[in-house]
Amino acid sequence: MLDFGFMEILLICVIALVVLGPEKLPRLVRTLGQWVGRGRGMVKNMQQQLESEARNLDMKERREKIQRELALLQHESAEQDDRAKRLPAKKVESA
């Protein structure tokens, strides 16, 4: 996204040194470092939350799929029981 080379960063530092002076530059660099650290922390936190939500959504989808399959199996089992009750028992003849 922001692709700065060494020469660009050096040029920005020299301009900042000339404009701000040697007294204010360390404070500015420290403040910028804190902002960058906070930004990285916020991005990391957002990534963790998104990954957590993705895991929760995946688990919810899996649970719903298992519940549908279980209901289907229970329905099939009930149908087999009904068929078995309706059919007359066959007599086994012994030889």
Side-chain angles (χ1 to χ4, degrees):
M1 189 167 103
L2 294 174
D3 189 22
F4 291 116
F6 178 73
M7 292 304 292
E8 289 88 2
I9 293 173
L10 183 63
L11 180 65
I12 291 171
C13 290
V14 169
I15 292 172
L17 183 61
V18 170
V19 172
L20 297 174
E23 301 86 25
K24 293 182 182 178
L25 189 60
R27 189 174 348 144
L28 175 68
V29 171
R30 188 177 315 116
T31 303
L32 286 175
Q34 289 174 349
W35 286 355
V36 168
R38 288 179 188 164
R40 286 182 179 173
M42 288 172 46
V43 168
K44 185 177 179 182
N45 188 18
M46 286 179 59
Q47 285 177 338
Q48 289 174 346
Q49 287 178 350
L50 288 173
E51 289 172 0
S52 175
E53 288 298 321
R55 280 193 305 272
N56 289 342
L57 181 61
D58 184 47
M59 293 300 288
K60 182 179 177 183
E61 290 172 355
R62 286 183 184 186
R63 183 179 62 238
E64 289 172 353
K65 180 181 175 186
I66 290 172
Q67 287 175 342
R68 285 191 305 266
E69 290 175 355
L70 181 60
L72 181 63
L73 287 173
Q74 288 173 342
H75 182 70
E76 289 175 357
S77 176
E79 285 179 354
Q80 287 177 354
D81 289 345
D82 289 343
R83 281 190 221 132
K85 289 178 183 176
R86 282 188 251 146
L87 294 176
K90 293 184 180 180
K91 295 182 181 179
V92 178
E93 297 180 15
S94 57

